[in-house]
Amino acid sequence: MDIESPAKLADLLDQHAYLADEGLATAAFLALRMGRPLFLEGEAGVGKTELAKTMALLLDAPLIRLQCYEGLDAAQALYDWDFARQLLHLKAAEAAGITDAGRLEGEIYDRRFLIARPLLRAIETDPAVLLVDEIDRADDEFEAFLLEVLSDFTISVPELGTISARTPPVVVVTSNRTREVHDALKRRCLYHWLEHPSFEREVAILLRRLPECTEALARQVAGTAARLREHGLVKPPGIAETLDWTEALLTLGARDLDPGLAAVTLGAALKYREDVEKVLGSGVLGRA
């Protein structure tokens, strides 16, 4: 797809109900044009993962997601051998009277027995959008390994040889900044920090994603969410939580946000007990 400008990309994202500001649209456009990974950092729920999903939709490419976590290693991200199928093949060969060890070894390490994990799938799929989600949860060793893969999109499988991407995937790397990601990985990427949306943008997102929502309700929810983010919470609500909260209110038939309804549905927006108690005791919902 030929996308000639950041404004055009923003328009295409808008067609898929993702409202990107100028800074994010420019960063994503440059990542596409320059063939560089896009590193998105920001609070949870501000739209980092959703951007990757929307990019996959507008590029008509599969989204391949690598969810990072502590202890993730190269084998879990790259590939694994299907030992159960290999064993069945050996038993079938034995039943057929095949005893040639060299032949059997060659057969059991055939490509059909290789299980492609997200990184290998992204390299073999053309086109593809690779989402490396929450890289800050992975260990330093995996981060260094990922840097190597993103440098040339080539993977070596000792039994098969080298597998290279015909067309490198579009890569989005996200971080909630639970720890600092090393500079080497950031230097490989184009970087963008996602803020919580402005009040008007959040209202527009709510109205776009939830067409049944009234403008009055959208403005009340967005205004309350903005005040909650200034309240020193453990986990302030992101746009994902604001959407959940609004959907919960709509499910209850709400046309506007009164303090009582805000209080009983607060669990859609806040996910920590101390945050809920702090907000309920502060009177901030009284201005909903």
Side-chain angles (χ1 to χ4, degrees), residues 228 235-238 241-242 244-245 265-271:
L228 292 178
K235 170 59 180 74
E241 287 76 28
T242 308
D244 285 346
W245 197 11
T265 57
L266 196 56
L270 302 181
K271 309 302 178 181

Side-chain angles (χ1 to χ4, degrees), residues 35 53 78 86 124 166 177 193 200:
K53 294 179 179 178
L78 278 176
Q86 287 174 318
E124 291 186 315
R166 185 171 61 179
R177 208 172 188 179
W193 173 269
E200 292 298 339

Side-chain angles (χ1 to χ4, degrees), residues 231-252:
H231 219 63
L233 303 179
V234 175
K235 170 59 180 74
I239 184 61
E241 287 76 28
T242 308
L243 283 164
D244 285 346
W245 197 11
T246 307
E247 186 175 0
L249 292 165
L250 291 170
T251 301
L252 294 174

Side-chain angles (χ1 to χ4, degrees), residues 175-193:
S175 168
N176 294 337
R177 208 172 188 179
T178 58
R179 69 167 177 86
E180 285 294 333
V181 175
H182 290 187
D183 288 344
L185 180 58
K186 286 186 175 181
R187 285 198 302 269
R188 179 68 185 83
C189 307
L190 296 180
Y191 176 86
H192 186 76
W193 173 269

Side-chain angles (χ1 to χ4, degrees), residues 78-266:
L78 278 176
Y79 65 86
D80 204 353
W81 289 104
D82 191 337
F83 297 118
R85 288 188 63 208
Q86 287 174 318
L87 183 59
L88 286 173
H89 181 77
L90 287 175
K91 288 183 177 180
E94 181 182 0
I98 300 173
T99 58
D100 184 336
R103 174 183 169 182
L104 289 174
E105 183 177 356
E107 288 180 351
I108 64 171
Y109 286 109
D110 185 78
R111 179 63 182 83
R112 62 190 163 131
F113 295 119
L114 190 71
I115 302 172
R117 301 301 184 194
L119 291 180
L120 179 56
R121 281 175 29 224
I123 285 175
E124 291 186 315
T125 305
D126 181 18
V129 174
L130 172 62
L131 168 62
V132 182
D133 215 7
E134 299 183 328
I135 184 62
D136 52 319
R137 295 185 180 275
D139 301 326
D140 291 350
E141 293 79 6
F142 181 79
E143 192 179 314
F145 158 75
L146 180 65
L147 177 62
E148 181 181 347
V149 173
L150 295 183
S151 296
D152 54 14
F153 295 102
T154 297
I155 290 174
S156 176
V157 181
E159 298 85 356
L160 297 177
T162 299
I163 301 174
S164 299
R166 185 171 61 179
T167 302
V170 174
V171 180
V172 177
V173 183
T174 75
S175 168
N176 294 337
R177 208 172 188 179
T178 58
R179 69 167 177 86
E180 285 294 333
V181 175
H182 290 187
D183 288 344
L185 180 58
K186 286 186 175 181
R187 285 198 302 269
R188 179 68 185 83
C189 307
L190 296 180
Y191 176 86
H192 186 76
W193 173 269
L194 262 72
E195 298 281 359
H196 290 290
S198 66
F199 172 75
E200 292 298 339
R201 182 171 296 276
E202 188 153 22
V203 170
I205 292 171
L206 292 174
L207 294 174
R208 185 63 185 278
R209 297 296 292 270
L210 299 169
E212 67 274 29
C213 181
T214 65
E215 183 169 354
L217 179 60
R219 298 184 76 85
Q220 289 169 341
V221 171
T224 304
R227 290 195 295 274
L228 292 178
R229 290 171 191 145
E230 299 171 353
H231 219 63
L233 303 179
V234 175
K235 170 59 180 74
I239 184 61
E241 287 76 28
T242 308
L243 283 164
D244 285 346
W245 197 11
T246 307
E247 186 175 0
L249 292 165
L250 291 170
T251 301
L252 294 174
R255 304 290 293 176
D256 52 30
L257 183 64
D258 65 71
L261 194 56
V264 297
T265 57
L266 196 56

